[in-house]
Amino acid sequence: MVDILLPLVQDLYLMAILTAVGVLYAVGFLLFEEQGRLSKESERIKNLAVLATVIWLVTTVGGVVVEVANLLGAGFLEAFNWSTLTSFLTTTSIGRDDLFQMIMGLGVIVLIVRAQKVGAIYFALAATMLALVIPLFQSHAASAGNHGLAIGALIFHVAAVSLWIGGVIGLVLISPRARERSIARFSALALWAAIIVGLSGVLSAWARLNFWSGWHSRYGLLVAIKILLFSILVVIGAKHRRTIALKLEGGRQIYRLLLNESLVMLVAVAIGGWLSTSIPPTSPGAIAADRDPAIALTGIAMPVSPSVGRILWSYSPDGTILGLLLLITALYIYGVVLLRRRGDSWPVGRTIAFAISVSLVDFATSGGVGVYAHFAFSYHMLGHMILGMIAPIGFVLSAPITLALRTLPQGRSPEERGVRGTLIAIIHSRYSVIITNPIVALALFDGSLFALYMTPLFGKLMRSHSGHLLMDIHFLLAGYLFFYVIVGIDPNPRKIPHIVRIIVLFAAMSIHAFFSIALLSTSSLLDGGYYGSLHRLWNINLLSDQHTGAALGWMMGEIPILLALVATFIQWMRVDSREAKRIDRAADRAAAMGEEDDLARYNKYLAGLARGEQPRSE
Ligand code: HEM
């Protein structure tokens, strides 16, 4: 029963959560909104997302009972026991994921029911997609060698599948008139999703079946069927685009194509769910994770002692970060190409800054520094400094927000705020004003160092793939926010005086120096035994390696802050000289017109005050 029920419940869960994504996606991105408010049509179909979320919750609860019965080898009635279920949900990683699903599901229902603006729908969509991808960190991909690639590819695969199939489900559910108006946007986004599904699917298959005999298994056969289904979907997709381009009798043809597409997709999803509950074949000669603690913990075999060559040329792809880098690079290039096509220019320096930062992040996560960071604190700190201090400066100077504002689509009708309008609303939202406060940015930038390394958190996060990923993404975002607030060239909801920026930079330097000295004077290990449990045969003195990391962090941390200080001074001088020129030009203009300039008027006002005249109420 369990062998039948597990894939079945998994498939029902996938269908329900993908439908919820689909409806939210249609309401958030396909249907027209009115100045950010939901239209009548959106109000109508958003209830379908509530229904799908309820089914998602029910299948999650069902899945828990089947998993507990499976683990205990007991019947479902025995498994359906409160204390057993609560201990499963709170003490096992899979159980905690299911609990996370339930909490997210309930939160999404509340968000959708109360939603009146598209902003709330975006939150509900993001929460649903997060609930969809989080369990993938625990999927059997996690036990395979190169699990960084396997997990990353699967996350992008499932996220893109959800947007692709979600869009189709959304279009099938909305009215023919709304479908006509939003099909062009669906088609544009579906193309991106299909490309990502195909690429990540092939990478997922490669990560699990990169040996010929693996294809002679049931798992291999299922993957082959999926490739066939994907090719059929590509053909249907091409027909879609042709029908749209040629406006061939519109409604009915499109609707038939959509129905066929969603049927093929649902079969592909069913097979995908089946795959995810079946164990992939093991490649001959693969080192079993249980025989190598390094593979069990990091997904990478223990490397030999580091050398300059090995740091420069080692590579073990972290699929999630690599996927994110490929996605933002594709979007950045797409933006620059759009501008060029419009005849607008984009400073090449910005594109170069972007490219350098992307390469640095890849080097610090999948490249040599990223590989050795799993095995030695000193390399971890080197990676941290690249991700938190150096790469963010390039991203800030590449002005991604300005590029987005210049290329994102405007409203499709006079009433519609449009994606560009939504970004402007986000930049000027209460949340952005709070997060761009220099104190908040500094607290996230430097404060989190103490929270991470001076508590057991670091050791905990190093032991899981999702924890490691969370740390890397936090370093990047905290660094980006800090340098965006201090030396950013993109629009900022706050006007921060240069003197304040300089004070914050000096504060950042001293806090960072204080942190490094505290780290240098540690006499015990901070990693909760993580590096020790890897039994590496090089740099075996773990404490001295920790101190090397502290020294590296200090040295590498101060340099970017110093550079930002110089940049802020230069910016300040430039603004001042621009202001001086403006005042001079105004004075010249006033003089030419025979009028008093500002200065003369102000001096006259001061003289009046001196003579005891009442101050002007401006
Ligand atoms: C090039 C074509 C494709 C290939 C090579 C491919 C390959 C894979 C692989 C290897 C997995 C991982 C299974 C595991 O966890 O072991 C997977 C999962 C999955 N795939 Fe695909 N896939 C392809 C296309 C599609 C399409 C077109 C869809 C749906 C429209 C789809 C939906 C899914 C789903 C829902 C999962 C399961 C996610 C889960 O773990 O819950 N795939 N796919």
Side-chain angles (χ1 to χ4, degrees):
M1 278 296 283
V2 166
D3 286 350
I4 298 164
L5 274 178
L6 260 181
L8 196 64
V9 170
Q10 173 70 2
D11 282 347
L12 281 177
Y13 155 80
L14 279 171
M15 307 285 180
I17 196 168
L18 289 174
T19 308
V21 168
V23 177
L24 291 169
Y25 175 65
V27 172
F29 290 97
L30 300 181
L31 288 173
F32 281 49
E33 32 88 358
E34 289 138 14
Q35 287 312 318
R37 300 193 72 78
L38 299 185
S39 64
K40 284 207 181 44
E41 167 110 24
S42 299
E43 287 287 353
R44 183 179 64 76
I45 76 156
K46 79 174 178 155
N47 301 329
L48 291 170
V50 175
L51 178 64
T53 311
V54 169
I55 299 171
W56 151 24
L57 279 176
V58 171
T59 52
T60 305
V61 173
V64 167
V65 175
V66 175
E67 275 157 15
V68 170
N70 183 27
L71 282 175
L72 299 179
F76 299 123
L77 288 181
E78 279 153 86
F80 206 74
N81 155 309
W82 184 246
S83 61
T84 321
L85 289 177
T86 43
S87 86
F88 170 79
L89 288 173
T90 49
T91 56
T92 68
S93 51
I94 294 183
R96 278 197 291 270
D97 272 350
D98 291 329
L99 190 59
F100 175 77
Q101 290 285 319
M102 297 176 202
I103 295 167
M104 289 301 256
L106 290 172
V108 164
I109 289 175
V110 174
L111 268 173
I112 303 172
V113 170
R114 294 164 55 87
Q116 287 163 351
K117 292 190 172 169
V118 278
I121 295 293
Y122 293 154
F123 267 110
L125 179 60
T128 311
M129 290 187 71
L130 200 63
L132 184 62
V133 298
I134 290 289
L136 302 176
F137 284 100
Q138 301 295 341
S139 70
H140 53 63
S143 57
N146 61 37
H147 75 195
L149 178 68
I151 291 182
L154 190 59
I155 286 174
F156 275 87
H157 191 61
V158 173
V161 162
S162 70
L163 292 177
W164 190 12
I165 196 171
V168 172
I169 293 173
L171 279 183
V172 168
L173 293 172
I174 60 181
S175 67
R177 192 173 120 63
R179 190 178 309 129
E180 200 80 25
R181 293 173 83 196
S182 35
I183 193 89
R185 176 170 285 184
F186 159 76
S187 177
L189 294 169
L191 181 64
W192 282 82
I195 293 170
I196 298 174
V197 167
L199 275 179
S200 59
V202 168
L203 273 178
S204 291
W206 185 79
R208 294 163 181 81
L209 296 172
N210 53 2
F211 54 101
W212 186 238
S213 59
W215 289 89
H216 301 288
S217 64
R218 185 180 70 175
Y219 191 93
L221 176 67
L222 289 174
V223 172
I225 297 173
K226 290 192 71 185
I227 295 173
L228 177 68
L229 291 172
F230 179 74
S231 327
I232 297 171
L233 287 169
V234 169
V235 172
I236 296 178
K239 269 198 170 167
H240 247 305
R241 295 178 77 79
R242 211 171 68 81
T243 313
I244 296 166
L246 301 176
K247 296 207 175 344
L248 291 174
E249 46 137 339
R252 250 200 327 286
Q253 169 110 3
I254 295 243
Y255 194 64
R256 254 201 317 278
L257 277 172
L258 284 170
L259 281 184
N260 297 345
E261 197 170 6
S262 41
L263 282 179
V264 177
M265 280 177 161
L266 289 180
V267 176
V269 167
I271 296 179
W274 191 0
L275 274 175
S276 68
T277 52
S278 35
I279 302 298
T282 314
S283 65
I287 306 170
D290 51 12
R291 271 197 290 124
D292 179 335
I295 291 187
L297 260 176
T298 68
I300 308 172
M302 170 67 75
V304 291
S305 64
S307 66
V308 176
R310 289 187 197 115
I311 295 293
L312 286 178
W313 305 118
S314 303
Y315 200 83
S316 173
D318 178 322
T320 319
I321 300 261
L322 193 58
L324 285 171
L325 290 177
L326 288 172
L327 187 63
I328 60 170
T329 305
L331 288 170
Y332 197 92
I333 294 171
Y334 184 64
V336 175
V337 169
L338 269 187
L339 279 185
R340 286 284 156 81
R341 258 202 227 131
R342 257 189 359 220
D344 293 348
S345 66
W346 181 253
V348 70
R350 292 181 182 176
T351 310
I352 294 171
F354 184 84
I356 292 172
S357 287
V358 165
S359 325
L360 282 173
V361 172
D362 187 49
F363 180 55
T365 50
S366 301
V369 172
V371 170
Y372 280 91
H374 288 281
F375 300 96
F377 185 82
S378 48
Y379 288 98
H380 162 83
M381 195 47 91
L382 185 60
H384 176 169
M385 289 304 119
I386 295 173
L387 291 175
M389 295 278 191
I390 303 174
I393 296 180
F395 281 132
V396 162
L397 296 179
S398 72
I401 300 177
T402 308
L403 182 63
L405 287 173
R406 290 179 61 186
T407 51
L408 280 175
Q410 312 260 3
R412 291 166 292 180
S413 68
E415 306 79 42
E416 189 173 55
R417 181 173 68 180
V419 185
R420 184 176 177 281
T422 304
L423 177 60
I424 293 173
I426 291 171
I427 292 172
H428 295 285
S429 67
R430 231 169 323 119
Y431 171 75
S432 302
V433 172
I434 292 167
I435 202 95
T436 53
N437 178 322
I439 308 297
V440 174
L442 180 64
L444 286 170
F445 185 61
D446 269 349
S448 56
L449 293 175
F450 296 87
L452 180 66
Y453 294 107
M454 301 305 178
T455 68
L457 190 59
F458 175 60
K460 283 206 171 62
L461 293 178
M462 282 305 280
R463 286 180 184 283
S464 77
H465 185 79
S466 50
H468 206 263
L469 184 71
L470 207 63
M471 252 192 308
D472 287 349
I473 290 179
H474 168 78
F475 295 151
L476 262 173
L477 292 181
Y480 178 84
L481 175 69
F482 182 75
F483 289 108
Y484 162 69
V485 166
I486 301 295
V487 287
I489 50 177
D490 273 327
N492 184 327
R494 283 172 178 273
K495 282 237 159 305
I496 302 161
H498 288 92
I499 185 65
V500 174
R501 298 180 203 203
I502 286 168
I503 293 168
V504 172
L505 277 169
F506 274 117
M509 263 170 111
S510 5
I511 296 170
H512 196 263
F514 175 73
F515 167 76
S516 307
I517 294 166
L519 210 55
L520 267 171
S521 43
T522 46
S523 54
S524 61
L525 296 174
L526 302 172
D527 60 356
Y530 166 77
Y531 287 112
S533 66
L534 292 165
H535 308 298
R536 68 170 187 251
L537 304 172
W538 39 272
N539 294 15
I540 48 175
N541 182 334
L542 299 179
L543 192 59
S544 102
D545 181 63
Q546 185 170 291
H547 292 158
T548 312
L552 259 175
W554 192 359
M555 183 190 64
M556 288 183 67
E558 302 301 336
I559 298 166
I561 299 178
L562 214 57
L563 288 176
L565 209 56
V566 174
T568 309
F569 267 114
I570 294 169
Q571 273 182 1
W572 195 0
M573 287 195 295
R574 279 211 194 120
V575 168
D576 262 12
S577 73
R578 258 204 309 274
E579 181 62 12
K581 282 196 193 101
R582 190 191 64 73
I583 292 171
D584 292 348
R585 268 199 308 278
D588 297 348
R589 242 195 334 273
M593 318 265 273
E595 287 167 7
E596 286 175 332
D597 67 356
D598 295 357
L599 199 57
R601 262 202 302 279
Y602 188 63
N603 288 341
K604 214 171 171 184
Y605 167 68
L606 289 178
L609 283 181
R611 279 196 301 276
E613 287 165 13
Q614 284 306 313
R616 276 196 309 266
S617 56
E618 295 289 338

